[in-house]
Amino acid sequence: MDTVMTVLPLVFEAPRRTKPPRHLADLTRAEARAAVVELGQPAFRADQLARHFYAGVTDPEQMTDLPAASRAELTEALLPGLLTPVRHQSADGGRTRKTLWRLHDGALVESVLMRYPERATVCISSQAGCGMACPFCATGQSGLTRNLSAAEIIGQAVAAAAAMANGEIPGGPGRLSNVVFMGMGEPLANYARVRKTLDALLTPAPHGLGLAQRSVTVSTVGVVPAIRKLTEEGLNVTLAVSLHAPDDELRDELVPINTRWKVDEVLGAADDFARRTGRRYSIEYALIRDINDQPFRADLLGKLLAKRLAHVNLIPLNPTPGSKWDASPLPAQREFVARLRAAGVPTTVRDTRGSDIDGACGQLAAADQVDGVPSVAVPVPTVEDAVPLGAESDQD
């Protein structure tokens, strides 16, 4: 390849920073009940607090089942505000909303809520920044600021669920149905907190959001030990692997973690996950002009996946201003799709939701900065047969 790529080190250990304030969502139910007792309140107050949190209630005055004299103390101790909205950006007639959140230490992350006629999906972040150093990804090139706490991750989904329930998104009150871990960061590099978040997403109310396992998608660039751990834990969530190249030579450069775990190892771990769940996994593939969009690479990818329980999600790259990385032209995109389908590989092209606000979830690219801190943006131009984000989890 003629393109010179920036080489950054892989970072798995997040920098040490001040921990967020203690939050009920970071605690087990037993720990939360013990914390309430320490405050001189009966243990069941923890269950009341959980009900309010997962319903998106943030104003203590609305928590009328709590004693008026204790509301402020209880919420300050166990429901501190961890996510402060900096701004919202809307697209698609308001049906797509990107929110920029400021964390307690000034770090910034984004979530994207997308409403479709039959579903509502939120794309959430699991880290501030990213340590995976993918050269075509502005977020990866910005480096890793820190891991998010479980409460900070869960809070993004809770806010989206509340926005739907309160009718903030055009279409009237509704329900959040899908969550995808495709925002800022590598979810499986923050495994323990992401795992705790999964429990909260899947646990029925009042102690969680009560989502179906198949409606939650966890994306990874290929942290093989964590994929295997997720497999062992028996969850039937949807797995998405950001592959971006079918051969080790190119993937070593595009996805530096490939220097540690090669394509065959990553797909082998994904195959084991598919065998246990009986469900297809998704291959995320960002189409980059003259880099990974050649016909021979489509054929190689088709041969690689033809007999696997997998489907391909193609993501035409839309770079940030000044980026040297560009999207594949439409003829190249269409030929890539045709070759994969001819090989018998189910293939879709990511929906364009929020492209004018850098808002759809999938391929990360930081499009703007606030106070010098990069934010997440995930723009996707359309081709044919686009599939709404989150719909992948409906496919077996």
Side-chain angles (χ1 to χ4, degrees):
M1 293 179 296
D2 295 330
T3 305
V4 177
M5 300 188 184
T6 303
V7 179
L8 292 178
L10 285 167
V11 179
F12 290 94
E13 293 293 329
R16 291 185 176 274
R17 294 172 68 95
T18 304
K19 289 184 178 181
R22 180 180 65 169
H23 193 284
L24 178 136
D26 289 316
L27 306 176
T28 65
R29 187 179 179 189
E31 290 170 341
R33 291 169 70 88
V36 165
V37 170
E38 289 175 6
L39 294 172
Q41 295 290 323
F44 69 82
R45 298 286 183 219
D47 297 334
Q48 293 174 312
L49 289 171
R51 181 178 297 107
H52 292 305
F53 172 68
Y54 286 107
V57 177
T58 57
D59 182 1
E61 295 307 310
Q62 295 181 21
M63 303 178 189
T64 54
D65 55 348
L66 298 176
S70 304
R71 290 172 194 165
E73 180 186 20
L74 285 169
T75 54
E76 182 179 350
L78 288 171
L79 296 180
L82 300 181
L83 299 166
T84 303
V86 176
R87 64 171 178 267
H88 299 295
Q89 289 180 279
S90 295
D92 306 308
R95 290 174 296 119
T96 297
R97 185 170 80 174
K98 180 176 73 169
T99 302
L100 178 66
W101 303 100
R102 187 183 304 278
L103 309 181
H104 78 101
D105 56 358
L108 299 173
V109 297
E110 292 185 19
S111 60
V112 185
L113 176 59
M114 295 156 283
R115 185 171 194 167
Y116 302 92
E118 72 287 0
R119 66 172 57 80
T121 298
V122 66
C123 175
I124 60 177
S125 297
S126 54
Q127 296 178 312
C130 184
M132 297 297 99
C134 298
F136 58 89
C137 171
T139 303
Q141 288 295 290
S142 71
L144 177 61
T145 299
R146 68 172 173 89
N147 286 327
L148 299 192
S149 69
E152 289 170 329
I153 306 171
I154 296 165
Q156 298 168 61
V158 168
M164 287 297 299
N166 296 334
E168 297 175 23
I169 307 300
R175 179 179 179 274
L176 181 70
S177 57
N178 296 74
V179 174
V180 293
F181 288 79
M182 293 183 179
M184 181 181 284
E186 164 53 50
L188 296 189
N190 190 15
Y191 188 91
R193 296 170 185 87
V194 166
R195 181 65 181 84
K196 189 170 185 63
T197 299
L198 291 176
D199 286 338
L201 297 177
L202 303 176
T203 299
H207 297 287
L209 290 180
L211 299 179
Q213 293 191 46
R214 61 195 294 120
S215 296
V216 178
T217 299
V218 178
S219 179
T220 178
V221 294
V223 185
V224 168
I227 295 174
R228 296 203 177 282
K229 188 172 183 180
L230 190 64
T231 302
E232 292 167 1
E233 298 211 3
L235 290 178
N236 291 330
V237 296
T238 298
L239 177 68
V241 177
S242 296
L243 197 67
H244 306 313
D247 54 298
D248 287 324
E249 181 181 7
L250 177 59
R251 195 168 191 264
D252 281 350
E253 298 184 74
L254 290 182
V255 187
I257 200 173
N258 201 73
T259 60
R260 186 167 298 192
W261 296 293
K262 299 298 185 182
V263 169
D264 283 347
E265 294 176 86
V266 173
L267 294 182
D271 289 339
D272 289 342
F273 186 88
R275 275 190 289 271
R276 187 193 58 74
T277 62
R279 301 184 56 239
R280 287 190 291 175
Y281 56 89
S282 174
I283 293 293
E284 309 293 301
Y285 195 102
L287 282 171
I288 310 171
R289 182 193 293 264
D290 299 328
I291 299 294
N292 66 350
D293 62 351
Q294 303 92 338
F296 82 88
R297 283 207 162 88
D299 293 340
L300 186 58
L301 184 61
K303 183 178 180 181
L304 192 65
L305 299 177
K307 296 182 180 181
R308 287 186 148 100
L309 198 61
H311 76 275
V312 173
N313 238 340
L314 294 175
I315 311 166
L317 187 71
N318 189 353
T320 54
S323 171
K324 62 189 177 185
W325 306 95
D326 198 5
S328 300
L330 282 174
Q333 295 177 30
R334 293 189 176 111
E335 181 171 3
F336 209 93
V337 170
R339 286 175 178 266
L340 286 176
R341 289 178 176 168
V345 178
T347 303
T348 51
V349 181
R350 184 60 54 80
D351 187 25
T352 62
R353 277 302 188 93
S355 58
D356 56 331
I357 58 167
D358 301 327
C361 290
Q363 171 52 49
L364 299 181
D368 55 61
Q369 294 190 351
V370 177
D371 296 336
V373 182
S375 62
V376 171
V378 209
V380 184
T382 190
V383 193
E384 53 188 332
D385 299 322
V387 60
L389 186 62
E392 303 97 304
S393 59
D394 294 339
Q395 302 177 28
D396 290 325

